Amino acid sequence: MTEMTRGIDEFRQESIKKLRAISSEPLREYMELFSAATGMSKTHALTNAFEFNSKRKENLHLLEEYISRRCMGVPLPYITGLKGFWKTEFLVTTDTLIPRPETELLVELILSEHKRKNLKILDLGTGTGAIGISIAEEKPNWKIIATDISLLALKTAKINSRGLKNINFVQSFWLNSIKASFDIIVSNPPYIRRNDPHLKDLSYEPRIALEGGEDGLSPAREIIRTAKSNLVEKGHLYLEHGYDQKNAVIQILQEHDFCAIRSYKDLSGHDRVIRANS
Ligand code: GLN
């Protein structure tokens, strides 16, 4: 008996069992993969509305393939092509980092700490565009420039920004190609140490977006070293960093005469973001 001749109930149960081996949320993942493979809504994954007619059989073959790729360890967003961040779903490709929930802290802080009407924001190393686009959507009067060194990442970010008039994209190695001054510079730079064993678990994602040199702080150092020339007087710098890098980042900021330095924890209780004034 093939997968196709069995009922959808049985297929679902077996798929969830397979996914349980690699995921703590097998049901949610099944629903997302079902929706990506069939074009039906996620809730349809739980009903028997899906019948094995010939067109549907192709969808089910695709779903089987998605499930086996997921069981091999491919991150879910690289199969479905989507990852939710802040209030939107972002297109992701293997040229972009998958946006993490803890990075929403940067968006939340910038939105809650700044009430002025016309601000200029620079998002460095934007990847999918998650940070810059989320801010641009919330604040139509703010002007955002988002950069990345990767043209392929910028292409994805541009697609994600469809329709938004207040965000533009520029290829740049950190601040190298940026001439203007900004009220806020924000970045989630790569910050994992070169020899961190954790990198092996992230092998599907672009290394250039994850690895920050020997101590993980090369990108943060480069940004902090050059940020003041692109910040207005009393401008703000917001940086995401690794859970154990708070003191090192504070020290670099102090070496470059940043003041009003403040650290914030993410929802898991890890030091995750630092804000400083120029
Ligand atoms: N937070 C990511 C992780 O540890 C790393 C993201 C980054 O380097 N900016 O999986």
Side-chain angles (χ1 to χ4, degrees):
M1 199 164 61
T2 68
E3 296 283 12
M4 297 306 126
T5 54
R6 276 186 258 133
I8 187 73
D9 272 338
E10 202 176 331
F11 178 83
R12 182 171 49 233
Q13 275 167 29
E14 283 184 11
S15 302
I16 291 170
K17 203 166 129 196
K18 285 183 201 158
L19 289 165
R20 187 167 291 130
I22 54 123
S23 167
S24 56
E25 295 177 291
L27 180 61
R28 182 185 66 83
E29 295 213 5
Y30 175 75
M31 289 166 80
E32 286 200 25
L33 291 168
F34 175 93
S35 177
T38 64
M40 295 171 86
S41 76
K42 284 181 220 167
T43 43
H44 271 109
L46 303 179
T47 70
N48 293 339
F50 191 93
E51 288 162 20
F52 294 143
N53 63 36
S54 54
K55 173 84 180 76
R56 295 279 163 87
K57 270 182 193 164
E58 287 168 24
N59 292 158
L60 213 61
H61 278 305
L62 192 60
L63 178 54
E64 280 184 301
E65 193 198 308
Y66 284 180
I67 288 166
S68 64
R69 280 171 65 199
R70 183 66 190 110
C71 289
M72 282 162 54
V74 179
L76 185 74
Y78 285 154
I79 302 172
T80 62
L82 291 173
K83 174 74 184 177
F85 179 89
W86 198 246
K87 295 183 182 168
T88 329
E89 293 249 82
F90 284 80
L91 193 67
V92 296
T93 73
T94 47
D95 298 302
T96 63
L97 186 81
I98 299 165
R100 310 285 202 268
E102 59 267 29
T103 302
E104 291 178 342
L105 180 58
L106 287 169
V107 177
E108 194 182 322
L109 287 171
I110 290 173
L111 292 177
S112 65
E113 294 184 352
H114 300 274
K115 301 292 175 204
R116 261 175 51 207
K117 213 164 176 220
N118 300 306
L119 289 179
K120 285 174 74 183
I121 320 277
L122 179 64
D123 171 17
L124 295 172
T126 197
T128 57
I131 299 170
I133 292 169
S134 300
I135 295 173
E137 270 176 346
E138 295 279 353
K139 297 284 184 183
N141 291 323
W142 292 6
K143 294 235 177 328
I144 290 97
I145 303 278
T147 73
D148 209 286
I149 187 73
S150 158
L151 282 174
L152 291 170
L154 286 176
K155 201 168 143 190
T156 303
K158 271 183 208 162
I159 297 171
N160 280 324
S161 75
R162 216 176 347 225
L164 279 177
K165 300 263 184 292
N166 58 335
I167 183 161
N168 286 298
F169 298 91
V170 177
Q171 187 188 27
S172 180
F173 176 75
W174 304 123
L175 287 144
N176 272 7
S177 312
I178 306 298
K179 301 276 173 284
S181 282
F182 296 84
D183 300 287
I184 298 171
I185 296 179
V186 56
S187 184
N188 169 23
Y191 53 68
I192 302 180
R193 284 177 196 83
R194 186 171 295 147
N195 293 326
D196 191 327
H198 179 52
L199 272 176
K200 276 198 216 77
D201 305 331
L202 303 171
S203 60
Y204 289 92
E205 292 182 85
R207 199 169 170 115
I208 190 180
L210 289 164
E211 194 225 282
E214 199 158 333
D215 64 355
L217 290 167
S218 301
R221 226 175 256 116
E222 171 70 12
I223 293 168
I224 294 169
R225 186 179 69 78
T226 49
K228 277 198 178 173
S229 39
N230 293 91
L231 275 173
V232 299
E233 210 181 311
K234 295 212 175 98
H236 301 259
L237 175 63
Y238 288 82
L239 287 178
E240 180 174 326
H241 58 76
Y243 72 96
D244 57 355
Q245 293 173 333
K246 171 181 142 182
N247 291 336
V249 177
I250 291 178
Q251 196 183 329
I252 303 167
L253 285 163
Q254 284 168 341
E255 281 163 17
H256 290 85
D257 293 327
F258 277 85
C259 58
I261 299 171
R262 197 167 159 195
S263 162
Y264 303 84
K265 289 186 195 299
D266 64 20
L267 285 176
S268 318
H270 295 123
D271 294 319
R272 185 62 65 192
V273 164
I274 283 184
R275 185 212 64 194
N277 286 10
S278 60

